[in-house]
Amino acid sequence: MTENGDSTAPRAHGRVTRRTVLKAAGATALAAGAVTATGSSAAAADGKPYDAIVVGAGYAGGTVARELGARGMKVLVLEARGRIGGRIEPGTLAGQHIELGGGWFGPGQDLVARELKRYSLTTTEDVHATRMVMPGPNGYASHSPQEAGARLNSLFADFYAGSEQYFERPYEPLHRKELLASVDRLSLADRIAQLQLTGVDHDWVSGATSVFAGGNRTGSLTGLAQWYQLAGGTYDKFLSVMSELPEGGMISILERMLRESGATVSLNSPVTAIRERGGRTHVEVRGGRVHQAPVVVLATPVNMWSTLTFEPGLPQVYADAAREGLGVPHATKLWLRVRGTSEAVSAQAPEGAPILLLIPQKQLPDGRVFVAFTGPALDVSDPQAVRAAVRGLLPEAWVVEYRAKEWHKDPYARGGWGLRRPGQLLRQLPDIQQPFGRIVFAGGDIASGWNGAFVEGALESGFRAAEQAATLAG
Ligand SMILES: Cc1cc2nc3c(=O)[nH]c(=O)nc-3n(C[C@H](O)[C@H](O)[C@H](O)COP(=O)(O)OP(=O)(O)OC[C@H]3O[C@@H](n4cnc5c(N)ncnc54)[C@H](O)[C@@H]3O)c2cc1C
């Protein structure tokens, strides 16, 4: 286990090296500390002042950097990690490219599609399951994907009933604000209780929602209902957002964006404080270096906001979002190389199970790669427990090796993908999308449309933040 909560048995090393990251960013003086060794910096090595500082080199920060660069602005990107990508993290297992964070996209995610086209990147379709293992009255039972899909469609039509009205325009979540008061306060657990679901129906619904929510008590009904409506308002369309994979992995667009931006990307530069003084922002990095610019874009996960010092202090609405968090409290992605079966079987378990969702990936000569999302009940640092959890769903399977990433333990995410908590939509949006003084906020967590769990939302938010920053920088 590393400090990033990255558990590997046996360890497989990612191929993205610091060198490739710097190369990808197209920078000449990107190494941490290369911008200025100590003290205070208002300017880059060429002596010209920065027009903007972007904190975070994930998709939101990358979009901001490129869009400001296109306006001729000089941009410094400060990234805490030794790599770009944030909650996008490529790796390898069994010689295969894997995604430890975000990896899929799907129909209706037009901004991602536009970026793929811009950079001439192709996509591949993910593996289709040929069988589905689902909870039954006496343990797990097999279904055809068509049979399970029809039942899930029907169960979720009831679960999200009314969302076609309260999210009449899912890209403008507050369009029917008056209809949201009675639903936005509900957690997923509240909705399950409201429907009085029992037995197998309960297990199918609560298992499915808990995977996406990282816990049915913390995730809001309107958070998931908005995704459901964005996808087209049926459960099979909702699942189709996990249907396609960009060529070269999800990181490939971001590498090109940063290269195009012309920004200076300083890795290993965790920001600790943002102070506004004399009409400029002073951005402090761990170790004491301070960078200055007329505007700063904070493009970190919302769960990171509470780790920073702000002067003046953040107004209540941002402080509330920072305290409550938006990243889901449990998000472990587990990649498995399995022998004993090569069947493209998919499995979903009830809430509380060690593995909640198992998805078939590439077939190998002697088995298959699977990807799983686990619940808090599984200790992924324990290979015996991982093997037992897989056999609980696929008795014929033998785990040869695996790699897990626990995002809630990651020091620069402090949570998984974003999903609003009950009440956050009405209490905090759109306020937390607005600049505070000379600080602009960006991130998939605070997008209007595909918020939280989607690169699409990070792009949307990045475009908005770039407009706001350009206006503030004058
Ligand atoms: C397990 C998992 C699976 C997912 N699956 C999908 C998927 O299949 N498809 C999809 O579209 N999306 C998926 N997502 C969501 C997607 O990854 C995110 O929505 C998106 O990457 C968010 O981008 P962002 O730029 O807003 O934030 P991030 O990617 O988190 O980027 C923020 C950056 O800020 C940096 N940072 C944090 N604190 C500081 C600091 N103090 N100083 C400097 N830098 C700092 C971080 O290191 C990071 O690089 C998934 C996420 C997870 C965790």
Side-chain angles (χ1 to χ4, degrees):
M1 189 83 80
T2 70
E3 63 171 3
N4 287 346
D6 186 352
S7 167
T8 312
R11 181 160 296 281
H13 293 288
R15 269 184 301 191
V16 175
T17 63
R18 182 173 152 127
R19 197 147 162 256
T20 58
V21 165
L22 298 183
K23 198 170 150 216
T28 48
L30 299 190
V35 179
T36 48
T38 54
S40 177
S41 124
D46 65 5
K48 293 197 189 126
Y50 290 112
D51 299 309
I53 296 171
V54 175
V55 183
Y59 262 99
T63 306
V64 175
R66 188 190 66 190
E67 294 304 301
L68 294 183
R71 288 169 162 88
M73 290 171 67
K74 195 169 175 60
V75 178
L76 171 64
V77 179
L78 296 172
E79 167 54 49
R81 303 174 198 266
R83 62 170 180 84
I84 64 166
R87 283 171 282 176
I88 305 299
E89 185 176 348
T92 51
L93 182 79
Q96 306 295 317
H97 174 97
I98 61 169
E99 299 282 2
L100 294 162
W104 291 283
F105 84 105
Q109 301 192 333
D110 297 341
L111 297 175
V112 174
R114 206 170 74 189
E115 295 299 331
L116 288 165
K117 201 165 164 206
R118 178 181 184 129
Y119 296 118
S120 305
L121 291 166
T122 56
T123 61
T124 50
E125 228 178 288
D126 204 6
V127 174
H128 289 272
T130 51
R131 178 164 72 94
M132 285 185 77
V133 170
M134 300 291 291
N138 306 302
Y140 290 102
S142 279
H143 301 265
S144 71
Q146 294 72 20
E147 189 191 352
R151 185 162 179 182
L152 284 165
N153 270 342
S154 156
L155 285 167
F156 278 101
D158 291 343
F159 190 78
Y160 294 122
S163 60
E164 67 287 1
Q165 275 126 36
Y166 60 80
F167 286 132
E168 187 186 322
R169 294 188 193 170
Y171 284 92
E172 296 169 46
L174 295 168
H175 174 65
R176 300 296 307 273
K177 201 171 176 180
E178 76 285 0
L179 299 181
L180 286 168
S182 60
V183 277
D184 192 40
R185 59 184 168 75
L186 298 181
S187 68
L188 293 157
D190 293 335
R191 179 63 178 158
I192 290 165
Q194 216 175 44
L195 293 176
Q196 299 182 328
L197 292 172
T198 54
V200 172
D201 285 353
H202 179 275
D203 288 348
W204 281 39
V205 169
S206 71
T209 53
S210 71
V211 178
F212 294 104
N216 282 330
R217 271 171 200 78
T218 44
S220 64
L221 169 64
T222 60
L224 281 194
Q226 190 188 353
W227 299 350
Y228 180 81
Q229 286 304 328
L230 283 162
T234 65
Y235 197 68
D236 49 7
K237 286 184 180 162
F238 173 73
L239 289 184
S240 74
V241 300
M242 295 161 70
S243 61
E244 292 191 61
L245 304 156
E247 170 195 352
M250 195 49 116
I251 198 77
S252 55
I253 303 172
L254 180 62
E255 287 171 345
R256 286 160 179 80
M257 285 179 133
L258 282 169
R259 194 180 300 150
E260 188 182 339
S261 76
T264 299
V265 182
S266 184
L267 301 176
N268 300 306
S269 300
V271 168
T272 54
I274 300 176
R275 300 187 168 87
E276 194 174 326
R277 284 180 185 151
R280 292 179 71 77
T281 56
H282 295 237
V283 180
E284 192 172 319
V285 174
R286 192 164 65 207
R289 266 182 306 137
V290 180
H291 303 279
Q292 290 182 38
V295 60
V296 60
V297 179
L298 184 59
T300 69
V302 169
N303 287 26
M304 293 303 299
W305 293 359
S306 61
T307 67
L308 270 64
T309 299
F310 296 90
E311 270 182 34
L314 287 179
Q316 197 61 46
V317 67
Y318 304 87
D320 287 347
R323 195 188 63 254
E324 294 164 19
L326 256 139
V328 301
H330 185 93
T332 301
K333 200 168 176 184
L334 171 67
W335 285 86
L336 304 145
R337 179 179 167 205
V338 158
R339 279 196 196 131
T341 180
S342 60
E343 196 189 350
V345 56
S346 171
Q348 191 198 292
E351 185 182 11
I355 288 179
L356 296 166
L357 184 63
L358 188 71
I359 303 170
Q361 296 288 287
K362 191 161 174 71
Q363 186 171 359
L364 302 173
D366 58 351
R368 188 173 281 281
V369 173
F370 287 86
V371 61
F373 291 87
T374 75
L378 181 61
D379 175 1
V380 289
S381 68
D382 178 354
Q384 303 284 24
V386 170
R387 286 198 177 107
V390 172
R391 294 189 87 129
L393 295 167
L394 303 181
E396 64 280 23
W398 174 253
V399 176
V400 182
E401 59 177 327
Y402 69 91
R403 186 160 182 198
K405 172 86 183 187
E406 299 175 276
W407 286 93
H408 46 284
K409 294 185 180 170
D410 180 291
Y412 298 117
R414 294 165 57 100
W417 55 87
L419 178 70
R420 288 187 303 261
R421 311 286 192 257
Q424 277 187 326
L425 174 56
L426 285 177
R427 281 187 288 114
Q428 290 161 10
L429 226 65
D431 296 359
I432 57 172
Q433 297 172 328
Q434 306 310 312
F436 166 56
R438 297 194 153 272
I439 307 175
V440 170
F441 297 84
D445 296 350
I446 61 169
S448 294
W450 291 93
N451 57 83
F454 307 99
V455 165
E456 179 78 7
L459 295 174
E460 178 218 289
S461 168
F463 283 115
R464 178 177 37 247
E467 290 284 338
Q468 294 169 331
T471 305
L472 279 169

